[in-house]
Amino acid sequence: MLLVGPPGTGKSMLAQRLPGLLPPLTIEEILAVASIASIAAKPSAEIASTRRPFRAPHHTASVVALVGGGSRPRPGEISLAHLGVLFLDELPEFQRSALEALREPLESGVVTVARAHETAQFPASFQLVAAMNPCPCGYLGDGSGRCHCSKIRLDHYRSRLSGPLLDRFDLQVELSRVPLARMAGPATDGGSAAAARSVGEARERQLTRRGTLNARLPDRALWQELPLDRDGRRLLNRAAERWRLSARSCTRILKVARTIGDLADAPDVTMPHVAEAIQLRCLERLL
Ligand SMILES: [Zn+2]
């Protein structure tokens, strides 16, 4: 997930809440997380918890610190975030080489660190949440007129993120400032506990249906077996043509649509699910 919005819109807070919405680690998962922490020589207080890991390395982190390596290969932040959340705030400020090194593990869920004499493989199946400002000053599009970033500065800022990296964000969400009047009003949803329950139920539906989560479904199986109605298919085709979406994007949209359906306990994927999934990739058209 990529969160784009001016400073103070709660991007970091939302990312920090995500581990709490995911189900607790199973015994086997706790052991996996603890083993990685122990190889990385992390203090034991941080390990053996049922809460999913949350790692938020600073944008000055080196490639080795982020993906792992060293003369005696050690796991990096992406492995310490295994089965949990890796949060990269100020995404365009990270070294480009470090960001590009994330692409492979994001697909495979493992990272291979090769040195002169040995090769090590560490698990790195994590949820990537990144945040960025809409422009270098942060105020573009907030209605205040405070942003005076030039087109060249804006292009330079956004060009730090490659197309293939952006393509890997299934949810690209724009956040805007919440008016004070709404913040002072009563909360309208059921809160974190209700959200966590609904996430747990949606995951159960996926595991019951195919024995794996939607994100891990093989692409071919998805296209062949997914019950997608005619209108949904037509909408996806039209969006693909209009925004020249890659095959990867279309597959990811379909997986998100299936998940939106699972959250609503819908047996089939229909047009509204596809429409919402396309909307959640909106930045592909903006950036
Ligand atoms: Zn600006």
Side-chain angles (χ1 to χ4, degrees):
M1 173 163 59
L2 175 62
L3 302 167
V4 182
T9 44
K11 302 189 291 279
S12 304
M13 186 206 63
L14 281 172
Q16 280 163 17
R17 293 284 175 90
L18 184 55
L21 298 184
L22 298 170
L25 294 170
T26 63
I27 303 237
E28 217 161 279
E29 289 173 334
I30 292 173
L31 292 175
V33 169
S35 318
I36 298 167
S38 121
I39 302 170
K42 290 286 156 196
S44 57
E46 279 184 34
I47 62 182
S49 157
T50 58
R51 195 176 163 83
R52 289 178 184 265
F54 178 83
R55 305 291 303 185
H58 191 255
H59 61 73
T60 51
S62 67
V63 178
V64 168
L66 206 59
V67 302
S71 50
R72 278 187 55 219
R74 287 258 177 92
E77 289 291 337
I78 61 170
S79 294
L80 291 166
H82 181 56
L83 300 173
V85 174
L86 179 74
F87 177 52
L88 303 182
D89 199 5
E90 315 266 6
L91 188 68
E93 305 294 335
F94 278 80
Q95 283 181 54
R96 187 149 179 168
S97 53
L99 294 182
E100 293 303 306
L102 294 178
R103 277 165 51 188
E104 172 59 31
L106 272 172
E107 291 296 308
S108 61
V110 292
V111 58
T112 306
V113 184
R115 306 301 306 169
H117 301 294
E118 55 181 330
T119 301
Q121 205 171 55
F122 299 115
S125 177
F126 56 92
Q127 301 260 19
L128 174 62
V129 181
M132 64 185 277
N133 292 330
C135 67
C137 84
Y139 297 114
L140 180 72
D142 79 341
S144 70
R146 275 182 291 181
C147 171
H148 294 290
C149 296
S150 67
K151 170 106 175 44
I152 293 175
R153 244 187 112 202
L154 195 59
D155 286 347
H156 177 72
Y157 181 70
R158 289 175 176 179
S159 70
R160 293 197 207 175
L161 306 175
S162 73
L165 180 69
L166 283 175
D167 211 26
R168 279 162 171 82
F169 288 102
D170 293 347
L171 312 178
Q172 304 170 357
V173 185
E174 247 190 317
L175 298 178
S176 49
R177 241 173 254 289
V178 179
L180 205 60
R182 250 179 69 196
M183 276 172 76
T188 48
D189 59 15
S192 297
R197 206 163 36 244
S198 147
V199 168
E201 286 165 7
R203 286 169 73 105
E204 275 308 312
R205 285 179 196 119
Q206 298 171 26
L207 293 172
T208 308
R209 187 169 55 234
R210 288 298 312 270
T212 184
L213 297 174
N214 293 344
R216 301 272 169 236
L217 274 178
D219 293 354
R220 184 172 289 180
L222 187 80
W223 285 100
Q224 282 170 356
E225 296 170 28
L226 196 75
L228 173 64
D229 74 348
R230 220 177 59 178
D231 287 345
R233 200 169 284 271
R234 201 182 291 163
L235 177 65
L236 187 55
N237 286 340
R238 283 180 69 174
E241 269 172 38
R242 179 149 172 204
W243 292 301
R244 298 181 189 286
L245 299 177
S246 64
R248 185 205 304 275
S249 292
C250 291
T251 305
R252 307 301 276 259
I253 286 172
L254 205 49
K255 287 182 179 181
V256 171
R258 176 64 273 183
T259 303
I260 292 168
D262 285 331
L263 283 165
D265 198 12
D268 294 344
V269 179
T270 59
M271 193 175 71
H273 304 136
V274 176
E276 194 175 339
I278 291 171
Q279 241 172 30
L280 286 167
R281 271 186 104 90
C282 65
L283 293 169
E284 203 148 282
R285 315 193 291 269
L286 299 175
L287 288 176

